[in-house]
Amino acid sequence: MDDNLTAILYKVNDLRLENRPIPEPKDDEVLLEMHCVGICGSDVHYLVRGAIGDFVVKEPMIMGHEASGVVKKLGKNVTNLKPGDRVAIEPGVPCRKCDFCKGGKYNLCPDIIFCATPPCHGNLARYYTHAADFCFKLPDHVSMEEGALLEPLSVGVHACRQANVTLGSTILVTGAGPIGLVSVIAAKAMGASKVIITDMVPYRLELAKSIGADGVLLIEKNDSEKALVEKVTSAFGGSPTVCIECSGAESCIRLSILAVKSGGTIVLVGLGPPEVKVPLVNACTREVEIKGVFRYANDYPLALELVASGKVDVKKLITHNYKLEETLQAYETAKTGQGNPVKVMIHCNKGK
């Protein structure tokens, strides 16, 4: 056990594979032999820009946060897991002591340690240590790939819970990237009667239909705002009760506000420019509720139940697979979009 090949981002467009020492688990941690690590849009953003908002890569950072692994060694206080357990890794470990943590919103903890968010290291390596209580044992019939996909699925689950999605909800999802797609999956599983998703890329809309979207709207560059609102209301036969905005684009935020039903809810999942121009008076006079979405809290168990029960199929999101040794090629695929990637999965175990 001396091979700990690790993917490290040194600076913009400088990603390297290096052998690092195998870490020892602390008292409340487990040592994991990593299995699957998905590439997220935020990972690519750090690669090409070196920062997301106030999170700036100032020192070499290990990449990866959408992950699953196998328990190899226990810290002395760990009782919930045993060696050999296959687990999904919730990548954010909060302080557990602040008001946010005690109130159940630990995703807002100011001292959270979140994988591959500067200055915290991620888990794209052969071996990695993590807090045992943020590792979720996978049933035998749930694959390691599905375990890694619980991370983006939890974002979709959290977005739907923020929007109070329930039986009969009608939902517009803007942006058919991975998070838009998992939002469709989560919304349908939570009882939405009609989910329609928008995008400018036809193949993503085709995938959306295959994973449960009731309808798709192809957005053209020359569509006017008024025309887009009319497209949405025509597709729904009225106005949707919920809009889940997953693109971060100002135009889509505006569309969500203008298209949602009066008294409805918008959740903003996609992160775009730090400031945007929106029709705020329109939202206020129609009592449109606007909520933010930041990661997730207490959503992993529900996401795991959705997958384990067979209610949702996330495996269709995986379009490309690479070995850990091929990490640089994997990131190139995710960065360039060559081959129409949706979810790129890296397999860290030897012999995959």
Side-chain angles (χ1 to χ4, degrees), residues 90 104-107 134 136 149-163 186 190 293-307:
E90 181 171 350
K105 293 188 175 183
Y106 62 80
N107 56 319
F134 279 80
F136 294 84
L149 288 170
L150 292 187
E151 200 281 338
L153 180 58
S154 292
V155 177
V157 168
H158 189 64
C160 289
R161 293 176 78 180
Q162 281 283 83
M190 294 168 73
V293 170
F294 186 58
R295 297 171 180 161
Y296 33 74
N298 300 304
D299 297 299
Y300 253 70
L302 180 53
L304 177 54
E305 176 59 28
L306 290 177
V307 172

PDB file of all heavy atoms in Angstrom, residues 90 104-107 134 136 149-163 186 190 293-307:
ATOM      1  N   GLU A  90     -19.895  12.271   1.492  1.00  0.00           N
ATOM      2  CA  GLU A  90     -20.403  13.649   1.479  1.00  0.00           C
ATOM      3  C   GLU A  90     -19.211  14.558   1.727  1.00  0.00           C
ATOM      4  O   GLU A  90     -18.595  14.494   2.802  1.00  0.00           O
ATOM      5  CB  GLU A  90     -21.486  13.860   2.537  1.00  0.00           C
ATOM      6  CG  GLU A  90     -22.030  15.269   2.507  1.00  0.00           C
ATOM      7  CD  GLU A  90     -23.257  15.485   3.385  1.00  0.00           C
ATOM      8  OE1 GLU A  90     -23.830  14.503   3.899  1.00  0.00           O
ATOM      9  OE2 GLU A  90     -23.645  16.660   3.554  1.00  0.00           O
ATOM     10  N   GLY A 104     -29.417  22.725  11.743  1.00  0.00           N
ATOM     11  CA  GLY A 104     -29.661  21.827  10.621  1.00  0.00           C
ATOM     12  C   GLY A 104     -29.225  22.358   9.270  1.00  0.00           C
ATOM     13  O   GLY A 104     -29.382  21.681   8.259  1.00  0.00           O
ATOM     14  N   LYS A 105     -28.676  23.569   9.239  1.00  0.00           N
ATOM     15  CA  LYS A 105     -28.211  24.141   7.974  1.00  0.00           C
ATOM     16  C   LYS A 105     -26.691  24.172   7.955  1.00  0.00           C
ATOM     17  O   LYS A 105     -26.060  25.210   7.783  1.00  0.00           O
ATOM     18  CB  LYS A 105     -28.780  25.548   7.783  1.00  0.00           C
ATOM     19  CG  LYS A 105     -30.299  25.564   7.597  1.00  0.00           C
ATOM     20  CD  LYS A 105     -30.799  26.953   7.229  1.00  0.00           C
ATOM     21  CE  LYS A 105     -32.294  26.928   6.922  1.00  0.00           C
ATOM     22  NZ  LYS A 105     -32.802  28.256   6.494  1.00  0.00           N
ATOM     23  N   TYR A 106     -26.108  22.982   8.112  1.00  0.00           N
ATOM     24  CA  TYR A 106     -24.654  22.919   8.239  1.00  0.00           C
ATOM     25  C   TYR A 106     -23.933  23.289   6.952  1.00  0.00           C
ATOM     26  O   TYR A 106     -22.727  23.546   6.963  1.00  0.00           O
ATOM     27  CB  TYR A 106     -24.211  21.545   8.736  1.00  0.00           C
ATOM     28  CG  TYR A 106     -24.549  20.374   7.849  1.00  0.00           C
ATOM     29  CD1 TYR A 106     -23.787  20.053   6.730  1.00  0.00           C
ATOM     30  CD2 TYR A 106     -25.645  19.561   8.147  1.00  0.00           C
ATOM     31  CE1 TYR A 106     -24.089  18.977   5.929  1.00  0.00           C
ATOM     32  CE2 TYR A 106     -25.962  18.467   7.352  1.00  0.00           C
ATOM     33  CZ  TYR A 106     -25.170  18.174   6.246  1.00  0.00           C
ATOM     34  OH  TYR A 106     -25.479  17.106   5.455  1.00  0.00           O
ATOM     35  N   ASN A 107     -24.668  23.347   5.828  1.00  0.00           N
ATOM     36  CA  ASN A 107     -24.042  23.804   4.587  1.00  0.00           C
ATOM     37  C   ASN A 107     -23.637  25.279   4.665  1.00  0.00           C
ATOM     38  O   ASN A 107     -22.821  25.742   3.867  1.00  0.00           O
ATOM     39  CB  ASN A 107     -24.972  23.587   3.391  1.00  0.00           C
ATOM     40  CG  ASN A 107     -26.325  24.257   3.565  1.00  0.00           C
ATOM     41  OD1 ASN A 107     -26.917  24.231   4.647  1.00  0.00           O
ATOM     42  ND2 ASN A 107     -26.842  24.843   2.505  1.00  0.00           N
ATOM     43  N   PHE A 134     -19.632  11.307   7.794  1.00  0.00           N
ATOM     44  CA  PHE A 134     -20.027  11.862   6.502  1.00  0.00           C
ATOM     45  C   PHE A 134     -19.698  10.882   5.368  1.00  0.00           C
ATOM     46  O   PHE A 134     -19.522  11.284   4.222  1.00  0.00           O
ATOM     47  CB  PHE A 134     -19.384  13.232   6.282  1.00  0.00           C
ATOM     48  CG  PHE A 134     -20.137  14.333   6.989  1.00  0.00           C
ATOM     49  CD1 PHE A 134     -19.957  14.553   8.351  1.00  0.00           C
ATOM     50  CD2 PHE A 134     -21.064  15.103   6.320  1.00  0.00           C
ATOM     51  CE1 PHE A 134     -20.680  15.532   9.027  1.00  0.00           C
ATOM     52  CE2 PHE A 134     -21.789  16.090   6.971  1.00  0.00           C
ATOM     53  CZ  PHE A 134     -21.598  16.305   8.329  1.00  0.00           C
ATOM     54  N   PHE A 136     -21.427   7.372   3.784  1.00  0.00           N
ATOM     55  CA  PHE A 136     -22.708   6.668   3.786  1.00  0.00           C
ATOM     56  C   PHE A 136     -22.549   5.302   3.134  1.00  0.00           C
ATOM     57  O   PHE A 136     -22.199   5.195   1.956  1.00  0.00           O
ATOM     58  CB  PHE A 136     -23.765   7.507   3.059  1.00  0.00           C
ATOM     59  CG  PHE A 136     -24.085   8.788   3.772  1.00  0.00           C
ATOM     60  CD1 PHE A 136     -23.287   9.916   3.579  1.00  0.00           C
ATOM     61  CD2 PHE A 136     -25.140   8.866   4.655  1.00  0.00           C
ATOM     62  CE1 PHE A 136     -23.554  11.096   4.245  1.00  0.00           C
ATOM     63  CE2 PHE A 136     -25.427  10.047   5.330  1.00  0.00           C
ATOM     64  CZ  PHE A 136     -24.629  11.159   5.126  1.00  0.00           C
ATOM     65  N   LEU A 149     -22.262   9.666  -7.714  1.00  0.00           N
ATOM     66  CA  LEU A 149     -23.285  10.565  -8.264  1.00  0.00           C
ATOM     67  C   LEU A 149     -24.291  11.049  -7.221  1.00  0.00           C
ATOM     68  O   LEU A 149     -25.126  11.910  -7.518  1.00  0.00           O
ATOM     69  CB  LEU A 149     -24.023   9.874  -9.410  1.00  0.00           C
ATOM     70  CG  LEU A 149     -23.203   9.707 -10.698  1.00  0.00           C
ATOM     71  CD1 LEU A 149     -23.930   8.806 -11.677  1.00  0.00           C
ATOM     72  CD2 LEU A 149     -22.903  11.056 -11.336  1.00  0.00           C
ATOM     73  N   LEU A 150     -24.203  10.514  -5.998  1.00  0.00           N
ATOM     74  CA  LEU A 150     -25.064  11.051  -4.933  1.00  0.00           C
ATOM     75  C   LEU A 150     -24.745  12.509  -4.651  1.00  0.00           C
ATOM     76  O   LEU A 150     -25.611  13.254  -4.184  1.00  0.00           O
ATOM     77  CB  LEU A 150     -24.901  10.240  -3.644  1.00  0.00           C
ATOM     78  CG  LEU A 150     -25.405   8.801  -3.642  1.00  0.00           C
ATOM     79  CD1 LEU A 150     -25.314   8.216  -2.238  1.00  0.00           C
ATOM     80  CD2 LEU A 150     -26.830   8.715  -4.166  1.00  0.00           C
ATOM     81  N   GLU A 151     -23.503  12.927  -4.946  1.00  0.00           N
ATOM     82  CA  GLU A 151     -23.146  14.326  -4.678  1.00  0.00           C
ATOM     83  C   GLU A 151     -23.948  15.293  -5.545  1.00  0.00           C
ATOM     84  O   GLU A 151     -24.668  16.137  -5.011  1.00  0.00           O
ATOM     85  CB  GLU A 151     -21.636  14.518  -4.856  1.00  0.00           C
ATOM     86  CG  GLU A 151     -21.085  15.757  -4.157  1.00  0.00           C
ATOM     87  CD  GLU A 151     -21.316  17.058  -4.893  1.00  0.00           C
ATOM     88  OE1 GLU A 151     -21.528  17.018  -6.123  1.00  0.00           O
ATOM     89  OE2 GLU A 151     -21.294  18.128  -4.253  1.00  0.00           O
ATOM     90  N   PRO A 152     -23.886  15.190  -6.870  1.00  0.00           N
ATOM     91  CA  PRO A 152     -24.733  16.105  -7.647  1.00  0.00           C
ATOM     92  C   PRO A 152     -26.223  15.861  -7.422  1.00  0.00           C
ATOM     93  O   PRO A 152     -27.010  16.822  -7.403  1.00  0.00           O
ATOM     94  CB  PRO A 152     -24.330  15.830  -9.099  1.00  0.00           C
ATOM     95  CG  PRO A 152     -23.663  14.494  -9.081  1.00  0.00           C
ATOM     96  CD  PRO A 152     -23.015  14.378  -7.737  1.00  0.00           C
ATOM     97  N   LEU A 153     -26.628  14.609  -7.225  1.00  0.00           N
ATOM     98  CA  LEU A 153     -28.050  14.345  -6.978  1.00  0.00           C
ATOM     99  C   LEU A 153     -28.526  15.050  -5.714  1.00  0.00           C
ATOM    100  O   LEU A 153     -29.652  15.561  -5.661  1.00  0.00           O
ATOM    101  CB  LEU A 153     -28.301  12.840  -6.864  1.00  0.00           C
ATOM    102  CG  LEU A 153     -29.755  12.422  -6.602  1.00  0.00           C
ATOM    103  CD1 LEU A 153     -30.690  12.927  -7.698  1.00  0.00           C
ATOM    104  CD2 LEU A 153     -29.870  10.903  -6.455  1.00  0.00           C
ATOM    105  N   SER A 154     -27.657  15.127  -4.705  1.00  0.00           N
ATOM    106  CA  SER A 154     -28.032  15.818  -3.464  1.00  0.00           C
ATOM    107  C   SER A 154     -28.277  17.300  -3.687  1.00  0.00           C
ATOM    108  O   SER A 154     -29.101  17.914  -3.005  1.00  0.00           O
ATOM    109  CB  SER A 154     -26.947  15.617  -2.399  1.00  0.00           C
ATOM    110  OG  SER A 154     -26.895  14.271  -1.977  1.00  0.00           O
ATOM    111  N   VAL A 155     -27.569  17.890  -4.652  1.00  0.00           N
ATOM    112  CA  VAL A 155     -27.829  19.293  -4.998  1.00  0.00           C
ATOM    113  C   VAL A 155     -29.239  19.425  -5.563  1.00  0.00           C
ATOM    114  O   VAL A 155     -29.992  20.339  -5.203  1.00  0.00           O
ATOM    115  CB  VAL A 155     -26.796  19.819  -6.007  1.00  0.00           C
ATOM    116  CG1 VAL A 155     -27.125  21.256  -6.414  1.00  0.00           C
ATOM    117  CG2 VAL A 155     -25.388  19.745  -5.431  1.00  0.00           C
ATOM    118  N   GLY A 156     -29.611  18.499  -6.463  1.00  0.00           N
ATOM    119  CA  GLY A 156     -30.961  18.521  -7.020  1.00  0.00           C
ATOM    120  C   GLY A 156     -32.023  18.300  -5.960  1.00  0.00           C
ATOM    121  O   GLY A 156     -33.067  18.970  -5.948  1.00  0.00           O
ATOM    122  N   VAL A 157     -31.763  17.387  -5.041  1.00  0.00           N
ATOM    123  CA  VAL A 157     -32.695  17.128  -3.942  1.00  0.00           C
ATOM    124  C   VAL A 157     -32.838  18.371  -3.075  1.00  0.00           C
ATOM    125  O   VAL A 157     -33.953  18.774  -2.708  1.00  0.00           O
ATOM    126  CB  VAL A 157     -32.224  15.929  -3.098  1.00  0.00           C
ATOM    127  CG1 VAL A 157     -33.014  15.818  -1.792  1.00  0.00           C
ATOM    128  CG2 VAL A 157     -32.352  14.630  -3.893  1.00  0.00           C
ATOM    129  N   HIS A 158     -31.717  19.002  -2.764  1.00  0.00           N
ATOM    130  CA  HIS A 158     -31.756  20.200  -1.920  1.00  0.00           C
ATOM    131  C   HIS A 158     -32.526  21.329  -2.615  1.00  0.00           C
ATOM    132  O   HIS A 158     -33.319  22.037  -1.977  1.00  0.00           O
ATOM    133  CB  HIS A 158     -30.336  20.651  -1.587  1.00  0.00           C
ATOM    134  CG  HIS A 158     -30.267  21.732  -0.550  1.00  0.00           C
ATOM    135  ND1 HIS A 158     -30.675  21.550   0.757  1.00  0.00           N
ATOM    136  CD2 HIS A 158     -29.853  23.023  -0.626  1.00  0.00           C
ATOM    137  CE1 HIS A 158     -30.507  22.670   1.441  1.00  0.00           C
ATOM    138  NE2 HIS A 158     -30.014  23.582   0.614  1.00  0.00           N
ATOM    139  N   ALA A 159     -32.291  21.492  -3.918  1.00  0.00           N
ATOM    140  CA  ALA A 159     -33.003  22.530  -4.663  1.00  0.00           C
ATOM    141  C   ALA A 159     -34.510  22.291  -4.608  1.00  0.00           C
ATOM    142  O   ALA A 159     -35.296  23.224  -4.392  1.00  0.00           O
ATOM    143  CB  ALA A 159     -32.524  22.555  -6.110  1.00  0.00           C
ATOM    144  N   CYS A 160     -34.926  21.048  -4.795  1.00  0.00           N
ATOM    145  CA  CYS A 160     -36.356  20.727  -4.772  1.00  0.00           C
ATOM    146  C   CYS A 160     -36.944  20.906  -3.384  1.00  0.00           C
ATOM    147  O   CYS A 160     -38.093  21.345  -3.240  1.00  0.00           O
ATOM    148  CB  CYS A 160     -36.582  19.304  -5.270  1.00  0.00           C
ATOM    149  SG  CYS A 160     -36.292  19.088  -7.041  1.00  0.00           S
ATOM    150  N   ARG A 161     -36.179  20.585  -2.353  1.00  0.00           N
ATOM    151  CA  ARG A 161     -36.681  20.789  -0.987  1.00  0.00           C
ATOM    152  C   ARG A 161     -36.782  22.275  -0.666  1.00  0.00           C
ATOM    153  O   ARG A 161     -37.727  22.713   0.004  1.00  0.00           O
ATOM    154  CB  ARG A 161     -35.773  20.070   0.011  1.00  0.00           C
ATOM    155  CG  ARG A 161     -35.835  18.553  -0.129  1.00  0.00           C
ATOM    156  CD  ARG A 161     -34.859  17.844   0.787  1.00  0.00           C
ATOM    157  NE  ARG A 161     -35.337  17.786   2.167  1.00  0.00           N
ATOM    158  CZ  ARG A 161     -34.664  17.208   3.155  1.00  0.00           C
ATOM    159  NH1 ARG A 161     -33.484  16.643   2.905  1.00  0.00           N
ATOM    160  NH2 ARG A 161     -35.153  17.197   4.370  1.00  0.00           N
ATOM    161  N   GLN A 162     -35.814  23.055  -1.153  1.00  0.00           N
ATOM    162  CA  GLN A 162     -35.880  24.507  -0.962  1.00  0.00           C
ATOM    163  C   GLN A 162     -37.124  25.090  -1.632  1.00  0.00           C
ATOM    164  O   GLN A 162     -37.722  26.055  -1.152  1.00  0.00           O
ATOM    165  CB  GLN A 162     -34.635  25.174  -1.548  1.00  0.00           C
ATOM    166  CG  GLN A 162     -33.388  25.087  -0.687  1.00  0.00           C
ATOM    167  CD  GLN A 162     -33.408  26.057   0.480  1.00  0.00           C
ATOM    168  OE1 GLN A 162     -33.993  25.766   1.533  1.00  0.00           O
ATOM    169  NE2 GLN A 162     -32.765  27.196   0.319  1.00  0.00           N
ATOM    170  N   ALA A 163     -37.499  24.509  -2.758  1.00  0.00           N
ATOM    171  CA  ALA A 163     -38.657  25.002  -3.520  1.00  0.00           C
ATOM    172  C   ALA A 163     -39.966  24.367  -3.062  1.00  0.00           C
ATOM    173  O   ALA A 163     -41.021  24.658  -3.623  1.00  0.00           O
ATOM    174  CB  ALA A 163     -38.449  24.723  -5.003  1.00  0.00           C
ATOM    175  N   ALA A 186     -34.749  14.557  -9.468  1.00  0.00           N
ATOM    176  CA  ALA A 186     -35.246  14.720  -8.105  1.00  0.00           C
ATOM    177  C   ALA A 186     -36.692  15.212  -8.100  1.00  0.00           C
ATOM    178  O   ALA A 186     -37.525  14.729  -7.318  1.00  0.00           O
ATOM    179  CB  ALA A 186     -34.349  15.686  -7.332  1.00  0.00           C
ATOM    180  N   MET A 190     -39.960  13.352  -6.477  1.00  0.00           N
ATOM    181  CA  MET A 190     -40.634  13.978  -5.341  1.00  0.00           C
ATOM    182  C   MET A 190     -42.069  14.371  -5.655  1.00  0.00           C
ATOM    183  O   MET A 190     -42.708  15.056  -4.869  1.00  0.00           O
ATOM    184  CB  MET A 190     -39.810  15.173  -4.853  1.00  0.00           C
ATOM    185  CG  MET A 190     -38.460  14.746  -4.279  1.00  0.00           C
ATOM    186  SD  MET A 190     -37.279  16.092  -3.990  1.00  0.00           S
ATOM    187  CE  MET A 190     -38.007  16.887  -2.562  1.00  0.00           C
ATOM    188  N   VAL A 293     -29.613  28.477  -3.288  1.00  0.00           N
ATOM    189  CA  VAL A 293     -29.269  27.070  -3.034  1.00  0.00           C
ATOM    190  C   VAL A 293     -27.749  26.995  -2.949  1.00  0.00           C
ATOM    191  O   VAL A 293     -27.048  27.378  -3.889  1.00  0.00           O
ATOM    192  CB  VAL A 293     -29.784  26.138  -4.149  1.00  0.00           C
ATOM    193  CG1 VAL A 293     -29.202  24.733  -3.982  1.00  0.00           C
ATOM    194  CG2 VAL A 293     -31.305  26.085  -4.140  1.00  0.00           C
ATOM    195  N   PHE A 294     -27.250  26.494  -1.829  1.00  0.00           N
ATOM    196  CA  PHE A 294     -25.807  26.340  -1.649  1.00  0.00           C
ATOM    197  C   PHE A 294     -25.517  24.916  -1.183  1.00  0.00           C
ATOM    198  O   PHE A 294     -25.793  24.554  -0.043  1.00  0.00           O
ATOM    199  CB  PHE A 294     -25.267  27.357  -0.639  1.00  0.00           C
ATOM    200  CG  PHE A 294     -23.768  27.358  -0.516  1.00  0.00           C
ATOM    201  CD1 PHE A 294     -22.961  27.586  -1.624  1.00  0.00           C
ATOM    202  CD2 PHE A 294     -23.163  27.143   0.713  1.00  0.00           C
ATOM    203  CE1 PHE A 294     -21.579  27.592  -1.518  1.00  0.00           C
ATOM    204  CE2 PHE A 294     -21.775  27.149   0.829  1.00  0.00           C
ATOM    205  CZ  PHE A 294     -20.980  27.379  -0.288  1.00  0.00           C
ATOM    206  N   ARG A 295     -25.041  24.126  -2.099  1.00  0.00           N
ATOM    207  CA  ARG A 295     -24.716  22.738  -1.819  1.00  0.00           C
ATOM    208  C   ARG A 295     -25.935  21.972  -1.311  1.00  0.00           C
ATOM    209  O   ARG A 295     -26.944  21.901  -2.002  1.00  0.00           O
ATOM    210  CB  ARG A 295     -23.526  22.651  -0.841  1.00  0.00           C
ATOM    211  CG  ARG A 295     -22.245  23.253  -1.407  1.00  0.00           C
ATOM    212  CD  ARG A 295     -21.158  23.362  -0.359  1.00  0.00           C
ATOM    213  NE  ARG A 295     -19.927  23.938  -0.912  1.00  0.00           N
ATOM    214  CZ  ARG A 295     -18.966  24.473  -0.193  1.00  0.00           C
ATOM    215  NH1 ARG A 295     -19.078  24.523   1.128  1.00  0.00           N
ATOM    216  NH2 ARG A 295     -17.882  24.964  -0.773  1.00  0.00           N
ATOM    217  N   TYR A 296     -25.883  21.461  -0.063  1.00  0.00           N
ATOM    218  CA  TYR A 296     -26.952  20.613   0.458  1.00  0.00           C
ATOM    219  C   TYR A 296     -26.736  20.429   1.954  1.00  0.00           C
ATOM    220  O   TYR A 296     -25.637  20.670   2.492  1.00  0.00           O
ATOM    221  CB  TYR A 296     -26.961  19.237  -0.235  1.00  0.00           C
ATOM    222  CG  TYR A 296     -25.574  18.794  -0.619  1.00  0.00           C
ATOM    223  CD1 TYR A 296     -24.664  18.349   0.343  1.00  0.00           C
ATOM    224  CD2 TYR A 296     -25.124  18.886  -1.936  1.00  0.00           C
ATOM    225  CE1 TYR A 296     -23.374  18.002   0.012  1.00  0.00           C
ATOM    226  CE2 TYR A 296     -23.827  18.535  -2.274  1.00  0.00           C
ATOM    227  CZ  TYR A 296     -22.958  18.095  -1.293  1.00  0.00           C
ATOM    228  OH  TYR A 296     -21.679  17.777  -1.618  1.00  0.00           O
ATOM    229  N   ALA A 297     -27.756  20.010   2.650  1.00  0.00           N
ATOM    230  CA  ALA A 297     -27.651  19.688   4.076  1.00  0.00           C
ATOM    231  C   ALA A 297     -28.696  18.630   4.398  1.00  0.00           C
ATOM    232  O   ALA A 297     -29.889  18.818   4.128  1.00  0.00           O
ATOM    233  CB  ALA A 297     -27.870  20.931   4.938  1.00  0.00           C
ATOM    234  N   ASN A 298     -28.248  17.520   4.953  1.00  0.00           N
ATOM    235  CA  ASN A 298     -29.127  16.401   5.304  1.00  0.00           C
ATOM    236  C   ASN A 298     -29.873  15.844   4.083  1.00  0.00           C
ATOM    237  O   ASN A 298     -30.987  15.335   4.218  1.00  0.00           O
ATOM    238  CB  ASN A 298     -30.126  16.827   6.389  1.00  0.00           C
ATOM    239  CG  ASN A 298     -29.441  17.278   7.656  1.00  0.00           C
ATOM    240  OD1 ASN A 298     -28.644  16.538   8.233  1.00  0.00           O
ATOM    241  ND2 ASN A 298     -29.719  18.499   8.097  1.00  0.00           N
ATOM    242  N   ASP A 299     -29.251  15.924   2.926  1.00  0.00           N
ATOM    243  CA  ASP A 299     -29.879  15.442   1.694  1.00  0.00           C
ATOM    244  C   ASP A 299     -29.279  14.141   1.181  1.00  0.00           C
ATOM    245  O   ASP A 299     -29.898  13.458   0.362  1.00  0.00           O
ATOM    246  CB  ASP A 299     -29.774  16.520   0.595  1.00  0.00           C
ATOM    247  CG  ASP A 299     -30.526  17.779   0.958  1.00  0.00           C
ATOM    248  OD1 ASP A 299     -31.744  17.703   1.141  1.00  0.00           O
ATOM    249  OD2 ASP A 299     -29.880  18.836   1.084  1.00  0.00           O
ATOM    250  N   TYR A 300     -28.075  13.778   1.640  1.00  0.00           N
ATOM    251  CA  TYR A 300     -27.455  12.541   1.169  1.00  0.00           C
ATOM    252  C   TYR A 300     -28.304  11.301   1.475  1.00  0.00           C
ATOM    253  O   TYR A 300     -28.461  10.432   0.603  1.00  0.00           O
ATOM    254  CB  TYR A 300     -26.053  12.386   1.766  1.00  0.00           C
ATOM    255  CG  TYR A 300     -24.937  12.616   0.769  1.00  0.00           C
ATOM    256  CD1 TYR A 300     -24.685  13.898   0.271  1.00  0.00           C
ATOM    257  CD2 TYR A 300     -24.127  11.580   0.321  1.00  0.00           C
ATOM    258  CE1 TYR A 300     -23.666  14.129  -0.626  1.00  0.00           C
ATOM    259  CE2 TYR A 300     -23.108  11.800  -0.586  1.00  0.00           C
ATOM    260  CZ  TYR A 300     -22.876  13.068  -1.068  1.00  0.00           C
ATOM    261  OH  TYR A 300     -21.874  13.287  -1.970  1.00  0.00           O
ATOM    262  N   PRO A 301     -28.864  11.177   2.686  1.00  0.00           N
ATOM    263  CA  PRO A 301     -29.680   9.984   2.957  1.00  0.00           C
ATOM    264  C   PRO A 301     -30.867   9.853   2.014  1.00  0.00           C
ATOM    265  O   PRO A 301     -31.185   8.742   1.555  1.00  0.00           O
ATOM    266  CB  PRO A 301     -30.130  10.183   4.413  1.00  0.00           C
ATOM    267  CG  PRO A 301     -29.059  11.033   5.017  1.00  0.00           C
ATOM    268  CD  PRO A 301     -28.668  11.984   3.917  1.00  0.00           C
ATOM    269  N   LEU A 302     -31.507  10.965   1.700  1.00  0.00           N
ATOM    270  CA  LEU A 302     -32.648  10.925   0.784  1.00  0.00           C
ATOM    271  C   LEU A 302     -32.194  10.585  -0.632  1.00  0.00           C
ATOM    272  O   LEU A 302     -32.820   9.777  -1.322  1.00  0.00           O
ATOM    273  CB  LEU A 302     -33.386  12.271   0.797  1.00  0.00           C
ATOM    274  CG  LEU A 302     -34.610  12.385  -0.131  1.00  0.00           C
ATOM    275  CD1 LEU A 302     -35.593  11.253   0.120  1.00  0.00           C
ATOM    276  CD2 LEU A 302     -35.285  13.735   0.042  1.00  0.00           C
ATOM    277  N   ALA A 303     -31.081  11.175  -1.058  1.00  0.00           N
ATOM    278  CA  ALA A 303     -30.556  10.871  -2.390  1.00  0.00           C
ATOM    279  C   ALA A 303     -30.201   9.392  -2.493  1.00  0.00           C
ATOM    280  O   ALA A 303     -30.495   8.736  -3.505  1.00  0.00           O
ATOM    281  CB  ALA A 303     -29.322  11.740  -2.677  1.00  0.00           C
ATOM    282  N   LEU A 304     -29.591   8.850  -1.447  1.00  0.00           N
ATOM    283  CA  LEU A 304     -29.235   7.428  -1.449  1.00  0.00           C
ATOM    284  C   LEU A 304     -30.488   6.560  -1.494  1.00  0.00           C
ATOM    285  O   LEU A 304     -30.532   5.555  -2.220  1.00  0.00           O
ATOM    286  CB  LEU A 304     -28.401   7.091  -0.213  1.00  0.00           C
ATOM    287  CG  LEU A 304     -28.015   5.623  -0.028  1.00  0.00           C
ATOM    288  CD1 LEU A 304     -27.312   5.064  -1.259  1.00  0.00           C
ATOM    289  CD2 LEU A 304     -27.137   5.457   1.212  1.00  0.00           C
ATOM    290  N   GLU A 305     -31.518   6.946  -0.768  1.00  0.00           N
ATOM    291  CA  GLU A 305     -32.761   6.177  -0.778  1.00  0.00           C
ATOM    292  C   GLU A 305     -33.411   6.192  -2.158  1.00  0.00           C
ATOM    293  O   GLU A 305     -33.923   5.168  -2.622  1.00  0.00           O
ATOM    294  CB  GLU A 305     -33.729   6.737   0.264  1.00  0.00           C
ATOM    295  CG  GLU A 305     -35.101   6.077   0.292  1.00  0.00           C
ATOM    296  CD  GLU A 305     -35.045   4.584   0.562  1.00  0.00           C
ATOM    297  OE1 GLU A 305     -34.099   4.125   1.234  1.00  0.00           O
ATOM    298  OE2 GLU A 305     -35.956   3.861   0.091  1.00  0.00           O
ATOM    299  N   LEU A 306     -33.365   7.324  -2.831  1.00  0.00           N
ATOM    300  CA  LEU A 306     -33.937   7.412  -4.174  1.00  0.00           C
ATOM    301  C   LEU A 306     -33.229   6.456  -5.130  1.00  0.00           C
ATOM    302  O   LEU A 306     -33.866   5.787  -5.947  1.00  0.00           O
ATOM    303  CB  LEU A 306     -33.841   8.841  -4.702  1.00  0.00           C
ATOM    304  CG  LEU A 306     -34.742   9.891  -4.051  1.00  0.00           C
ATOM    305  CD1 LEU A 306     -34.464  11.272  -4.637  1.00  0.00           C
ATOM    306  CD2 LEU A 306     -36.210   9.532  -4.217  1.00  0.00           C
ATOM    307  N   VAL A 307     -31.901   6.389  -5.031  1.00  0.00           N
ATOM    308  CA  VAL A 307     -31.134   5.503  -5.904  1.00  0.00           C
ATOM    309  C   VAL A 307     -31.333   4.043  -5.509  1.00  0.00           C
ATOM    310  O   VAL A 307     -31.586   3.177  -6.349  1.00  0.00           O
ATOM    311  CB  VAL A 307     -29.636   5.872  -5.874  1.00  0.00           C
ATOM    312  CG1 VAL A 307     -28.807   4.834  -6.615  1.00  0.00           C
ATOM    313  CG2 VAL A 307     -29.415   7.251  -6.497  1.00  0.00           C
TER     314      VAL A 307
END
